[in-house]
Amino acid sequence: MIRPRWRKVLRDLWGNKLRTTLVVLSIAIRVFAVGMIVGTQILLREDLSRVYGTTNPAHAFLSISPFDEEAIEIVRNVEGVAEADGRAEHTIPLQKEGDELGEIRLTVPADFADWRLQTVASISGKWPPDEQEILMERASVPYVNAAVGEMITVEDVDGRLRQLTIVGVAHDLFTQPVQFTNVPNGYITRDTAEWLGYGDKLSRMPLRIEGEDVTEEEIRAVIDRVKLKLEKAGYAYYGDWIPEPGEHPANEAVQPLLAILGILGLLSLFASAFLVINIINGLLAQHTTQIGIMKAIGARSSQVMGLYMASVLIFGLLSLLIAVPLGALAAYGLADFIAGFINFDLNGVRLIPQVVLLQTAVAILVPVLAALVPVLRGTAITVHQALSEQGLGAGHFGSSLIDRAMNWLTAVALRLSRPTRISLRNTIRRKARLLLTLITLTLGGAIFIGVLTVHESLLKTLDDALAYFAYDIDVEFKQAHRLEEIQRQVLAVPGVAAAESWIGASAVRLRPDGEEGDGFYLIGAPADTAVINPTLLDGRWLEPGDSNTIVLNSLVLKDEPDIQVGDVIMLEVDGREGEWRVVGLVQGVMTGGIGYVNQPYLARLLRFVDKADSVEIVAATTNPAAQRALEIRLRQHLEEAGMAVDSTGLISDVRGTIEYQFGLVVTLLAVMAVLVALVGGLGLTGTMSINVLERTREIGVMRAVGASDTAVQRIVMVEGALVGVISWFFAVLLAIPISRYLSNVVGNELLRSSLSYTFSFKGAFIWLVAVIIIGALASFWPAWNASRLSVRETLAYE
Amino acid sequence: MIKRLFGTKNGEDGGNGRTPSYQPTHLVDVDNVTKAYHTPAGDFIALDGLTLKVDPGEFVAVVGKSGSGKSTLINMITGIDRPTSGGVYIGETAVHELKEGPMAEWRGRNVGVIFQFFQLLPMLSCVENIMLPMDFCHVYDPDEREERALHLLELVDMSDQAYKLPSELSGGQQQRVAIARALANDPSILAADEPTGNLDSKTAVSIYDLFEELVDKGKTILMVTHDNDLASRVTRAITLADGKIVHEVKR
């Protein structure tokens, strides 16, 4: 049989269903938020690495002169090599709708039937494809305007139109997502590659070395042996690329998202602790008399404490029941949304032990700890104190300076009506309680405004990034040509408004410790360049007389974080080592690492005096289709003039890519802002409702002395709204450091530099409206409830 | 019946505040107690060097005007409040020396407290309200508690309402249940602060009848009251003014 004291606990919970529901929901919504955020984070990380593992990823990619099975066999026999495979990759022109010319990236495996590394999975249709057939990557299908069974038109090596039949759909985790690149991915056999004029040889060799969790050094050691063997066998070794071991390339895009989620999760946890303290405080204030009676009839403080801790435990367990499944579902939904961008599938909805553990801690440990102080204080109250507080509850008004100031303000200075005076004075009557409510509301608001601020800062940074490109078309020549000749030929093409010739080179930093850096691109542009607008972060831009001075973009610092403006660094440019003085730092705009140097100096260094190997063109039109037509005219004109074109590119395509990369983070932030507002709003509504519930008896007294229902409701709602407005003020203040920190994290992960910080006034305004509504609505419900009770009932309300 | 109700307690006395230097000779010994309250308007002396001794089986009424110190005196005896100076001894226990925790248990076992506003826990039925002190103080075997609670309800003539919630009862009925609760752990003393203050006169009389019955059965009752008519029915009536006993009638 249950003892009467535990029956009291259960019946307290059951008897006051409104309050129990509010408390459980308020805790549950926080536990839900923690589960959703942390769950998303873990789902993405776990499932991405799991899917990644099933594709047998390569540790390194070697670029070798054309080879076939013979070379693969040689490498497989090298000591330390676990597996080797071969492939070729060709990016060729693709005819899109109408006259539009796009590109398609074709991957040619050594053997479809024996694909060993970086595998691609068949999703539907034929496998392998026959000659003149192609498999499309699943995410690329919408980008080629053709369905399975239909044909796409590409240009072969000689510019002839060739048709490939789509015979199936495949999933390739390793492609750069087509949403980002705008270049669809397809898979063809070596026979088809030969038919297109690219020959049946392979050019890249994925390599996997023996052992688990290998380091870059171990990989490097094996590659050195492979290189020797291949060179001995007569192959030319062009270079290699070692991706971050064990990490999917998309991790780069996922990291900022995970960082944001992590911070929000932590803030959520913090806010939930305050919410719980608030709730428990309110609960105990209501039970003061009962605590007194129980002690009067023989209960020790520890026994009373046990009763209330049991209530807290039950609240926590009930919250868990709701929040764990809902949190898991929401985590799956959010993770699935993000996974869609990265082109991988989640392993399905599931409960993650760590997340459930964390949720349990939030739902039980945090409330129990949070309740400890108020329960200790509430139950340590003497019987005498408890019973003499039967009137209108705790709290004293009148003695402190703040109280007197409020009295004067409301009565004399503002001449407010008496009910409004009650609202204002009530607000500050229970100062500890007010402080807790304010902290809870403030945290919720600050997170919301912070997220929206990061959102706006990202958009501002995107604007800045797009403002960087003042040219429309980039033309790269196969060889360097004389500057005047380039200008003359290019300006002769109708539709070209302006042109500027650049010279490019690749640079590798020789680090102070003697190691080589990852390398970046050097642009030799005129110091007074008119076709780019880089945002200067530090130092200065190039000046006409500059020689071995260099301006780096922030993305170079991603790999070389020790470089500072004013440093002298060693660079190997086109095989020549030399010292360069870093004079400035500009914002990187997702073009990769770039160093800007004075064009005449670089041209001299490369023995290309008065020559350039690329030209940046400003089109007379902003219409993308017209620019695309101009791109084709330029190609034709330059080829006819005997200037072989290596590649051309439209900046509008680059813009699309940048917008998309930002879009992923921006979209997630927007989703998070809505969720934060929803979760925060619901939680806060619950807390404030509990506060008003606590005052049911007081409401009874007001009505007993003649207050109408509407007067009572007005008093309570004005008070709620007032608390909201006060919290809003602090939320705005707190949002500034929170959003600065969030912006730095996002900027660092995404761009290796801080974002163009823009405080979200829109977010602050939305929260002001929201918090007034939350305050008023949250107070209205229990006040309305109280006004339905008779005066006698409210006075007897426990 | 009486033996069965009051003679089966199997718990030990919770209090152990005996002072060897003082040898009490009465059941209740309030010895030169002063109680001062500090208020913003200055110190207020509720009890002023008051001494009161009560023997077993007495039915004591404490009367006096509002603010005369009646409730403070009762609170001293129940340990709900503490004297500023002086001592309060119940049996062999120095109540004023008990700490809050032992005090609660001592009170639960030795003093039954009855309030003006009944103060039954609203979410528990009558029987459960009566079982609660036994539960808190670990008195009686858990299996016997309900039976005992029902017997107590029988004693206060409320056995037919045993499983109702307090809100379903009238004020007089609630006070009867509250008295049964005060008897739960078979205390020797009942302390009641205006037990009839919230009841109509007819009901008040019936509560008095019940008190007299309990005194006949050996209980000692201290009661604060405003009602002079009823106060005349007790064995001793003391009148307080300004924290001192100004009048005493013994019968």
Side-chain angles (χ1 to χ4, degrees):
Chain A
M1 200 177 79
I2 308 173
R3 294 218 199 145
R5 60 171 114 159
W6 302 122
R7 283 189 229 170
K8 168 185 158 28
V9 171
L10 293 179
R11 263 177 241 165
D12 270 342
L13 298 175
W14 184 247
N16 206 331
K17 288 185 203 66
L18 175 61
R19 187 180 60 205
T20 304
T21 311
L22 280 174
V23 174
V24 168
L25 285 183
S26 307
I27 299 176
I29 196 108
R30 285 295 176 194
V31 179
F32 162 81
V34 168
M36 176 184 70
I37 292 171
V38 182
T40 303
Q41 208 183 5
I42 294 180
L43 274 179
L44 280 179
R45 201 184 311 126
E46 276 187 356
D47 284 12
L48 186 54
S49 57
R50 177 190 51 78
V51 174
Y52 183 68
T54 63
T55 56
N56 212 7
H59 287 130
F61 294 86
L62 315 183
S63 293
I64 305 163
S65 57
F67 65 91
D68 54 21
E69 279 77 4
E70 185 199 60
I72 300 176
E73 230 16 80
I74 291 173
V75 173
R76 278 181 187 153
N77 289 324
V78 174
E79 189 201 336
V81 172
E83 190 57 88
D85 205 347
R87 55 166 63 190
E89 284 157 8
H90 309 287
T91 303
I92 67 171
L94 166 76
Q95 287 230 313
K96 289 189 160 181
E97 243 178 329
D99 276 343
E100 233 186 299
L101 196 64
E103 286 176 324
I104 184 168
R105 205 172 79 113
L106 300 176
T107 299
V108 189
D111 185 356
F112 268 94
D114 187 24
W115 199 326
R116 299 202 183 176
L117 289 175
Q118 302 279 104
T119 54
V120 170
S122 168
I123 289 184
S124 65
K126 211 167 150 182
W127 181 283
D130 282 326
E131 201 178 325
Q132 300 180 29
E133 290 177 347
I134 184 169
L135 299 177
M136 290 305 301
E137 211 291 317
R138 65 174 190 185
S140 296
V141 176
Y143 289 77
V144 292
N145 290 317
V148 176
E150 295 177 351
M151 288 194 284
I152 58 168
T153 307
V154 297
E155 281 181 21
D156 71 5
V157 154
D158 303 317
R160 274 180 306 207
L161 296 184
R162 298 279 192 184
Q163 292 197 313
L164 294 168
T165 310
I166 304 175
V167 293
V169 178
H171 179 214
D172 184 352
L173 193 61
F174 297 92
T175 56
Q176 276 231 341
V178 63
Q179 300 98 312
F180 292 177
T181 59
N182 249 333
V183 178
N185 293 285
Y187 307 85
I188 56 169
T189 60
R190 287 160 75 174
D191 290 341
T192 310
E194 193 170 16
W195 175 64
L196 289 171
Y198 290 94
D200 72 340
K201 297 285 191 215
L202 309 169
S203 56
R204 287 191 97 195
M205 186 181 285
L207 195 69
R208 196 169 167 81
I209 71 166
E210 281 168 354
E212 295 292 314
D213 298 326
V214 292
T215 64
E216 200 178 326
E217 286 72 46
E218 293 169 309
I219 299 170
R220 177 65 57 200
V222 175
I223 287 179
D224 286 344
R225 284 200 290 276
V226 169
K227 190 177 166 188
L228 271 177
K229 269 272 160 64
L230 283 172
E231 280 172 347
K232 218 191 251 170
Y235 294 95
Y237 188 86
Y238 296 144
D240 48 61
W241 175 57
I242 302 175
E244 195 72 33
E247 244 184 50
H248 182 265
N251 250 349
E252 197 121 332
V254 177
Q255 281 314 320
L257 303 182
L258 295 185
I260 297 168
L261 288 175
I263 295 167
L264 290 179
L266 212 68
L267 284 171
S268 223
L269 200 70
F270 196 56
S272 69
F274 273 99
L275 186 95
V276 171
I277 295 176
N278 207 340
I279 291 169
I280 303 301
N281 254 326
L283 195 75
L284 281 162
Q286 271 176 267
H287 275 230
T288 308
T289 315
Q290 292 195 10
I291 292 170
I293 298 162
M294 285 191 284
K295 291 179 107 180
I297 61 170
R300 285 163 176 269
S301 292
S302 56
Q303 289 174 325
V304 179
M305 225 180 114
L307 294 188
Y308 286 95
M309 289 318 249
S311 306
V312 174
L313 214 66
I314 294 172
F315 284 141
L317 286 172
L318 288 175
S319 313
L320 267 185
L321 277 181
I322 303 172
V324 166
L326 286 183
L329 276 177
Y332 179 80
L334 193 56
D336 192 49
F337 173 75
I338 297 170
F341 284 93
I342 310 168
N343 193 22
F344 81 100
D345 299 316
L346 293 177
N347 206 9
V349 186
R350 61 183 187 270
L351 289 179
I352 304 163
Q354 301 102 291
V355 176
V356 176
L357 218 66
L358 189 66
Q359 284 181 300
T360 311
V362 174
I364 293 177
L365 211 64
V366 172
V368 165
L369 285 179
L372 215 53
V373 174
V375 167
L376 268 174
R377 222 187 29 222
T379 54
I381 190 170
T382 66
V383 180
H384 187 239
Q385 282 170 324
L387 295 181
S388 59
E389 271 184 16
Q390 199 192 351
L392 293 177
H396 302 281
F397 184 87
S399 46
S400 81
L401 200 67
I402 304 173
D403 295 346
R404 271 176 285 158
M406 183 59 115
N407 259 349
W408 178 83
L409 188 76
T410 53
V412 183
L414 300 176
R415 293 184 178 283
L416 295 171
S417 70
R418 207 160 293 271
T420 315
R421 270 188 241 171
I422 297 178
S423 301
L424 293 178
R425 290 178 196 172
N426 251 338
T427 308
I428 62 166
R429 199 175 58 152
R430 293 192 183 110
K431 290 175 194 66
R433 156 50 54 93
L434 173 68
L435 194 71
L436 272 177
T437 310
L438 279 180
I439 291 175
T440 317
L441 274 167
T442 300
L443 274 173
I447 296 172
F448 177 79
I449 300 172
V451 168
L452 274 189
T453 293
V454 177
H455 187 256
E456 273 183 34
S457 301
L458 262 176
L459 290 178
K460 173 78 169 55
T461 312
L462 177 59
D463 279 348
D464 288 353
L466 295 183
Y468 168 86
F469 298 103
Y471 63 94
D472 301 304
I473 303 169
D474 165 60
V475 178
E476 308 270 339
F477 297 107
K478 285 188 168 148
Q479 290 160 340
H481 298 276
R482 287 173 42 77
L483 282 173
E484 297 89 54
E485 180 66 7
I486 295 174
Q487 289 296 114
R488 199 170 57 83
Q489 292 295 348
V490 164
L491 290 175
V493 179
V496 173
E500 189 174 296
S501 299
W502 286 356
I503 196 155
S506 58
V508 173
R509 182 185 178 207
L510 305 171
R511 294 178 184 155
D513 61 6
E515 272 203 49
E516 282 188 10
D518 267 350
F520 53 92
Y521 196 68
L522 275 194
I523 287 181
D528 59 350
T529 176
V531 298
I532 48 170
N533 302 307
T535 308
L536 199 63
L537 298 176
D538 194 9
R540 65 167 176 85
W541 182 246
L542 298 170
E543 282 166 10
D546 281 343
S547 52
N548 61 334
T549 52
I550 186 167
V551 174
L552 298 174
N553 78 0
S554 52
L555 293 166
V556 175
L557 298 195
K558 206 167 175 173
D559 296 317
E560 312 293 333
D562 59 302
I563 300 179
Q564 286 181 334
V565 170
D567 286 357
V568 172
I569 56 172
M570 285 294 290
L571 293 181
E572 188 190 300
V573 179
D574 204 37
R576 298 176 188 82
E577 287 179 21
E579 287 188 344
W580 294 78
R581 195 157 49 84
V582 181
V583 294
L585 179 68
V586 297
Q587 179 86 53
V589 285
M590 299 172 159
T591 47
I594 293 178
Y596 301 87
V597 297
N598 211 5
Q599 200 232 13
Y601 180 80
L602 185 63
R604 257 202 320 280
L605 192 75
L606 299 175
R607 316 263 194 276
F608 286 154
V609 181
D610 283 339
K611 285 184 176 177
D613 59 4
S614 73
V615 60
E616 318 311 317
I617 284 150
V618 181
T621 170
T622 54
N623 178 296
Q627 286 183 1
R628 218 169 273 280
L630 175 62
E631 180 192 5
I632 295 166
R633 282 203 303 279
L634 268 169
R635 245 180 199 278
Q636 284 170 345
H637 181 90
L638 290 170
E639 296 275 357
E640 279 163 18
M643 302 166 89
V645 174
D646 184 52
S647 71
T648 56
L650 274 179
I651 297 309
S652 59
D653 288 346
V654 180
R655 275 171 194 262
T657 304
I658 294 177
E659 273 169 354
Y660 224 99
Q661 289 199 17
F662 267 94
L664 183 55
V665 178
V666 165
T667 312
L668 181 87
L669 280 173
V671 171
M672 290 312 294
V674 171
L675 285 173
V676 163
L678 220 64
V679 166
L682 281 176
L684 297 173
T685 309
T687 323
M688 295 207 59
S689 294
I690 294 162
N691 288 357
V692 180
L693 267 186
E694 189 192 315
R695 290 181 22 211
T696 299
R697 187 183 291 170
E698 187 180 315
I699 290 170
V701 173
M702 285 196 274
R703 289 172 66 212
V705 298
S708 66
D709 289 352
T710 44
V712 168
Q713 274 168 18
R714 204 175 68 216
I715 289 170
V716 176
M717 285 171 71
V718 167
E719 193 188 325
L722 186 71
V723 171
V725 172
I726 298 173
S727 81
W728 173 81
F729 175 76
F730 290 114
V732 169
L733 288 185
L734 186 64
I736 295 170
I738 287 184
S739 56
R740 278 211 177 271
Y741 179 66
L742 265 177
S743 302
N744 280 345
V745 171
V746 173
N748 237 344
E749 296 284 353
L750 216 58
L751 305 171
R752 274 293 139 172
S753 71
S754 44
L755 301 178
S756 313
Y757 184 82
T758 318
F759 184 80
S760 174
F761 290 99
K762 191 177 75 191
F765 179 73
I766 293 174
W767 188 251
L768 177 63
V769 174
V771 90
I772 290 176
I773 293 173
I774 287 171
L777 263 190
S779 313
F780 171 77
W781 181 27
W784 183 71
N785 241 331
S787 69
R788 282 189 316 173
L789 297 170
S790 71
V791 173
R792 194 190 63 77
E793 283 171 317
T794 49
L795 290 179
Y797 186 88
E798 293 289 346
Chain B
M1 176 73 171
I2 291 167
K3 197 157 185 140
R4 178 162 181 199
L5 283 176
F6 301 124
T8 56
K9 189 155 85 169
N10 58 7
E12 288 299 309
D13 261 21
N16 189 21
R18 182 175 173 169
T19 39
S21 59
Y22 188 87
Q23 291 298 318
T25 51
H26 304 276
L27 176 61
V28 177
D29 191 341
V30 178
D31 184 35
N32 194 23
V33 163
T34 295
K35 176 67 187 181
Y37 290 110
H38 304 285
T39 71
D43 281 4
F44 173 72
I45 308 293
L47 294 177
D48 188 2
L50 186 140
T51 296
L52 171 70
K53 296 175 200 311
V54 180
D55 290 320
E58 277 197 272
F59 186 1
V60 182
V62 183
V63 291
K65 288 178 182 156
S66 174
S68 60
K70 306 186 298 285
S71 296
T72 310
L73 175 59
I74 289 288
N75 286 345
M76 292 297 143
I77 292 164
T78 56
I80 282 176
D81 207 351
R82 289 166 187 280
T84 310
S85 69
V88 178
Y89 304 87
I90 309 284
E92 295 190 345
T93 307
V95 177
H96 60 284
E97 287 175 2
L98 289 177
K99 289 206 161 37
E100 202 60 32
M103 171 87 84
E105 200 172 345
W106 169 84
R107 187 192 306 118
R109 287 164 181 261
N110 296 289
V111 183
V113 184
I114 298 159
F115 304 93
Q116 180 179 356
F117 293 100
F118 331 129
Q119 307 286 26
L120 297 170
L121 293 192
M123 72 298 293
L124 295 181
S125 68
C126 298
V127 165
E128 288 164 341
N129 261 292
I130 297 166
M131 288 161 68
L132 196 58
M134 311 180 203
D135 181 13
F136 281 133
C137 296
H138 309 291
V139 177
Y140 303 108
D141 192 75
D143 297 335
E144 291 175 20
R145 286 177 188 159
E146 185 163 2
E147 194 192 347
R148 177 172 166 80
L150 287 169
H151 281 302
L152 287 170
L153 280 170
E154 213 172 288
L155 187 77
V156 297
D157 212 11
M158 286 292 295
S159 40
D160 48 340
Q161 318 279 345
Y163 294 97
K164 285 189 176 168
L165 289 174
S167 57
E168 298 171 71
L169 305 179
S170 72
Q173 289 174 315
Q174 287 192 47
Q175 195 60 299
R176 282 173 178 273
V177 176
I179 292 167
R181 179 179 68 183
L183 293 167
N185 289 342
D186 191 20
S188 47
I189 302 168
L190 291 184
D193 193 351
E194 306 228 16
T196 57
N198 212 32
L199 300 174
D200 63 78
S201 53
K202 200 178 147 203
T203 315
V205 168
S206 76
I207 294 292
Y208 264 65
D209 293 342
L210 180 56
F211 278 161
E212 281 180 337
E213 249 175 75
L214 290 170
V215 171
D216 287 345
K217 287 167 184 166
K219 296 287 166 194
T220 306
I221 299 180
L222 281 107
M223 168 185 74
V224 168
T225 184
H226 262 116
D227 193 328
N228 284 321
D229 287 352
L230 293 172
S232 64
R233 291 176 55 178
V234 300
T235 59
R236 174 149 65 130
I238 57 171
T239 308
L240 291 195
D242 298 328
K244 289 177 180 154
I245 297 175
V246 292
H247 186 64
E248 186 164 348
V249 183
K250 256 192 176 176
R251 256 182 306 272

